[in-house]
Amino acid sequence: MKRLIIIALGLIVQVACVAQVHYDKGRITIDELQLLQDYNDSLTYYYLPQYPRLAINDEGEFEFLCLKYVGKGKKDNGGLLHALFEFRMEEEQLKKAEKKLQSKIKDAKIKGPIPLLETMKEGESALGSFRVISSILTDTLGTESFTKNMITSGRAPFTPGSKAVLAAKLNQEGSTLLWETFKGAASDVSIAVDGYYEAAVEAYNVVVEAEMEMIYNHFSSYSKTETLFTHDEVSKVVDSLYNNGTIKIQALDRTKTLGRKSDLKKILQIVTDKLINIMFDTETGWSKRPDIEDPAKEKDKAGKGVLSGFAFGPASMFIPDIQHIVKEKKDIRTHRFRLDLSESTTIKVPFYTAGNLGGLYKYFKDDSRYFRVVDMDNADFEKREIIFQLDTDFAESFEEVVNFVTVNFRKKYNGRRDFTSQLYFNAKDIQNGKIFKSVIFPRLGETSDIWREYEYQIAWSVRGAPDFAGSNSEWKTSQSPAIIISPPFQKIAVEVDLNKQVLADADIASVIVDFAADFLGKTQLVKSLTLRSSGEENNSKTAVFYDHHGDVAYRTVWYTKNGNKIKSPHQKLENGYIYLTPPRDIGN
């Protein structure tokens, strides 16, 4: 391992303030749209997004492309799929919902969507909130796999205006099968999304406790015959755990009891949501094929189809229930379950939804913006399109370390002037979901297969290293119709976890985690995280970028409330999970 130098801390991660809603109090459902009441303003409501929709660009067009290219040889046949999706509600639908809300509560208003947060998939190399469900697109292993390459942005578009991306390059059989599925009401492509939102729970003057070992064993006994649990099934198991004494609910004021059955029901529902976050991985049941709504029932003045009700369809129609699978025992890091409801607190409420990408072909099969076939051997075909697509697993690198990336393109002809072009990607492109751009070059009468050949050069501009992978990068020759652009470095997703109660017992005010890495050809401090005992979150998630064949290390700096400071020795980061425990001599 290269020598790692830990540099003094200078960066503190700031956490943006987000709207907070009540967990159960004030909740209203209008036309299947859930409205959650603001914690500080009883007349303000936020809506819970129902399902992902196919994105629409500024020109009012779907951000979708299914392309199939055909030639004489099998290697010349294949296809491309590209789709962006987002969470949004139609303005008319929101206005109608707000009008009905005001008929129930005078002067109430819908302010916007509830801020949703991403979950992290433990053990994966990227932050992730959505996954692709497709027998064709996920078949990427082996020489005869349907899909040669599939890329997703890995992050669901939970923030307003953001979009998520799905892109795939397929072989001949895969492109043909996928094209055929689009002709039906439901395609082979579905998207499942999971995340959570934070909600305030009212005080119940009780403490809920249980041993995780006993809870795990109880669920495991069920999973011998049932692998997956629906949310309702988890809730029933929690009820049984309360009834047999595994989950204990202790009233802090012995002169009072839980009283109403509704209070007990609400408490057990809170326990259900809390346990789902701790001990379940989410899986989506897709055995039931969806019923599809008409994706273009309404037309605008120009005659274009608009998304009046669906693109990726409503979750209630596509997936009858979300299912959860019990984690392996070694992955459950909490040994004791304790939930203090004696005062108002905040919990993470899981959020799941899904939809199927289908129904578009019926209306847009003749629209080359969305569906087109390219004949690679047609003598009249005189132009070729080459798509350059960013590896969206590194999308956040544009927010942190990358200024821009440039693609230089060159096509050489015999006896003619070279055709050249240049493409440019920056952070604004990534934010707007523009992760692929194309170059179209002419055939100019070339008769041999060599006319498909071209050259390209990728130049990365990285902050702190203006010449890093710049103009001296290698020119490459290719005949591929699509090129995936990956940065000249790698990343590891990191989750830093701790127990705030342990910090409070040790009289610790905060802990800083410094990350050092081999990056840009030298060892340097690349990131620092600060976790405070007074903060609401027990953990922090980030991504660390480092050179290929390089290393990442971290150290901790502990600060007590009386001013003491202890630095731990740095150690190599072996995986993406760090559980922090204070040093024994912190109080000395």
Side-chain angles (χ1 to χ4, degrees):
M1 176 178 176
K2 297 181 180 179
R3 186 169 63 93
L4 293 171
I5 302 173
I6 305 298
I7 305 173
L9 167 70
L11 175 66
I12 297 178
V13 175
Q14 297 180 346
V15 180
C17 295
V18 296
Q20 193 168 56
V21 296
H22 286 288
Y23 175 74
D24 191 58
K25 180 181 176 182
R27 182 190 295 257
I28 295 177
T29 300
I30 296 177
D31 295 336
E32 298 186 355
L33 183 67
Q34 289 192 60
L35 302 177
L36 305 173
Q37 189 182 62
D38 186 274
Y39 182 72
N40 297 307
D41 184 355
S42 62
L43 295 179
T44 298
Y45 282 80
Y46 296 87
Y47 68 86
L48 191 61
Q50 294 174 302
Y51 41 84
R53 297 169 183 259
L54 195 61
I56 297 177
N57 62 22
D58 295 338
E59 289 73 39
E61 300 171 338
F62 293 113
E63 297 195 87
F64 170 86
L65 171 65
C66 183
L67 182 149
K68 184 165 63 171
Y69 50 89
V70 295
K72 291 180 179 178
K74 186 174 181 179
K75 64 181 180 62
D76 299 323
N77 291 266
L80 302 172
L81 173 68
H82 184 85
L84 277 71
F85 67 93
E86 60 189 340
F87 275 119
R88 60 179 173 77
M89 295 289 293
E90 301 294 336
E91 287 298 321
E92 287 301 316
Q93 185 180 359
L94 280 177
K95 288 179 181 178
K96 291 178 182 178
E98 186 173 65
K99 188 174 181 179
K100 291 183 179 181
L101 173 65
Q102 291 171 348
S103 68
K104 300 176 181 288
I105 303 173
K106 186 180 179 181
D107 297 328
K109 59 183 180 296
I110 300 176
K111 191 170 184 179
I114 180 67
L116 294 170
L117 303 172
E118 292 182 310
T119 57
M120 172 177 276
K121 309 297 184 187
E122 294 178 6
E124 291 189 3
S125 60
L127 298 176
S129 295
F130 79 91
R131 56 192 172 277
V132 178
I133 302 168
S134 168
S135 59
I136 297 172
L137 297 183
T138 56
D139 180 14
T140 59
L141 301 178
T143 57
E144 299 299 323
S145 59
F146 287 145
T147 302
K148 297 180 180 180
N149 188 288
M150 184 182 75
I151 293 178
T152 68
S153 58
R155 311 184 74 164
F158 287 153
T159 56
S162 65
K163 300 176 183 179
V165 183
L166 162 64
K169 180 180 178 182
L170 301 100
N171 68 3
Q172 177 180 342
E173 292 82 0
S175 62
T176 300
L177 285 173
L178 186 63
W179 187 280
E180 290 301 315
T181 71
F182 278 125
K183 293 181 179 179
S187 76
D188 180 62
V189 183
S190 294
I191 299 293
V193 180
D194 61 87
Y196 67 92
Y197 62 91
E198 295 182 339
V201 178
E202 60 182 302
Y204 285 100
N205 202 41
V206 299
V207 171
V208 184
E209 293 184 308
E211 295 293 337
M212 286 303 301
E213 177 86 13
M214 297 178 67
I215 293 177
Y216 178 86
N217 291 339
H218 195 75
F219 274 101
S220 296
S221 65
Y222 280 83
S223 64
K224 290 177 182 177
T225 54
E226 294 196 24
T227 304
L228 299 174
F229 292 85
T230 66
H231 192 282
D232 287 342
E233 288 168 343
V234 175
S235 182
K236 290 178 181 178
V237 174
V238 169
D239 288 346
S240 69
L241 289 170
Y242 167 70
N243 291 328
N244 67 21
T246 300
I247 293 178
K248 300 178 176 62
I249 301 179
Q250 178 185 0
L252 298 181
D253 186 348
R254 295 184 180 277
T255 64
K256 298 179 180 179
T257 63
L258 289 177
R260 299 170 298 175
K261 289 184 178 180
S262 60
D263 286 343
L264 178 60
K265 183 178 179 180
K266 290 178 181 178
I267 291 171
L268 291 177
Q269 184 56 52
I270 295 169
V271 173
T272 298
D273 287 335
K274 194 75 173 177
L275 281 178
I276 286 174
N277 282 318
I278 292 175
M279 64 178 300
F280 286 92
D281 284 326
T282 56
E283 295 288 342
T284 304
W286 58 92
S287 57
K288 177 183 176 181
R289 280 296 181 186
D291 297 323
I292 303 296
E293 289 187 12
D294 191 331
K297 286 182 179 178
E298 300 178 8
K299 299 285 183 180
D300 58 19
K301 293 181 180 179
K304 297 179 180 179
V306 296
L307 281 177
S308 58
F310 121 107
F312 285 113
S316 60
M317 293 183 64
F318 287 86
I319 294 181
D321 200 355
I322 301 300
Q323 298 177 325
H324 316 290
I325 187 169
V326 180
K327 292 180 182 177
E328 291 186 27
K329 201 171 191 176
K330 62 182 178 63
D331 293 328
I332 301 176
R333 298 184 172 94
T334 301
H335 301 295
R336 184 169 181 78
F337 180 85
R338 188 177 191 277
L339 185 60
D340 189 344
L341 297 177
S342 61
E343 296 180 357
S344 295
T345 187
T346 300
I347 69 167
K348 296 178 180 178
V349 184
F351 169 82
Y352 312 102
T353 186
N356 180 271
L357 181 54
L360 292 171
Y361 186 86
K362 177 180 178 182
Y363 293 92
F364 302 112
K365 61 183 179 181
D366 298 322
D367 192 330
S368 62
R369 293 173 301 172
Y370 309 122
F371 295 93
R372 64 177 180 262
V373 178
V374 177
D375 186 351
M376 305 296 287
D377 295 305
N378 190 329
D380 297 327
F381 178 66
E382 297 181 347
K383 293 183 180 180
R384 190 182 187 201
E385 181 179 19
I386 308 300
I387 294 176
F388 291 88
Q389 179 176 300
L390 286 170
D391 185 343
T392 51
D393 193 32
F394 292 86
E396 68 265 48
S397 68
F398 283 80
E399 302 170 3
E400 300 184 23
V401 298
V402 174
N403 295 314
F404 58 85
V405 58
T406 303
V407 179
N408 298 313
F409 183 91
R410 182 170 67 196
K411 168 61 183 175
K412 293 182 178 181
Y413 299 96
N414 292 324
R416 297 177 181 267
R417 188 174 60 182
D418 294 348
F419 172 88
T420 61
S421 185
Q422 188 177 77
L423 304 176
Y424 177 86
F425 297 88
N426 59 17
K428 186 176 180 181
D429 291 326
I430 307 305
Q431 292 171 1
N432 293 331
K434 296 179 180 179
I435 66 157
F436 82 94
K437 298 181 181 181
S438 64
V439 173
I440 300 176
F441 66 90
R443 185 169 183 170
L444 297 182
E446 293 281 349
T447 57
S448 67
D449 288 344
I450 199 68
W451 83 271
R452 298 192 184 97
E453 188 173 279
Y454 59 89
E455 297 175 289
Y456 68 95
Q457 179 194 60
I458 310 296
W460 290 82
S461 173
V462 181
R463 294 166 200 171
D467 297 327
F468 185 63
S471 57
N472 295 325
S473 59
E474 176 187 0
W475 280 88
K476 296 181 179 180
T477 301
S478 178
Q479 291 191 11
S480 174
I483 301 294
I484 304 299
I485 307 173
S486 297
F489 51 79
Q490 57 188 338
K491 84 169 186 179
I492 182 171
V494 183
E495 180 176 10
V496 181
D497 203 356
L498 53 76
N499 188 326
K500 287 193 302 180
Q501 187 60 46
V502 173
L503 267 63
D505 294 342
D507 203 31
I508 294 172
S510 64
V511 56
I512 293 169
V513 185
D514 291 332
F515 293 93
D518 300 316
F519 188 57
L520 306 181
K522 60 182 179 181
T523 302
Q524 57 182 304
L525 175 73
V526 293
K527 184 164 295 187
S528 295
L529 299 179
T530 299
L531 292 90
R532 305 182 185 279
S533 60
S534 58
E536 293 184 357
E537 288 295 322
N538 288 331
N539 57 22
S540 183
K541 301 167 186 176
T542 189
V544 177
F545 302 97
Y546 62 106
D547 294 340
H548 291 289
H549 309 298
D551 290 314
V552 179
Y554 71 96
R555 74 161 184 189
T556 55
V557 185
W558 301 83
Y559 293 88
T560 65
K561 294 179 181 179
N562 60 13
N564 287 341
K565 179 174 73 172
I566 292 183
K567 297 181 181 179
S568 72
H570 62 267
Q571 55 185 304
K572 184 176 179 180
L573 182 64
E574 299 290 352
N575 56 57
Y577 183 81
I578 302 172
Y579 185 80
L580 299 179
T581 55
R584 294 182 179 179
D585 54 348
I586 187 69
N588 298 333

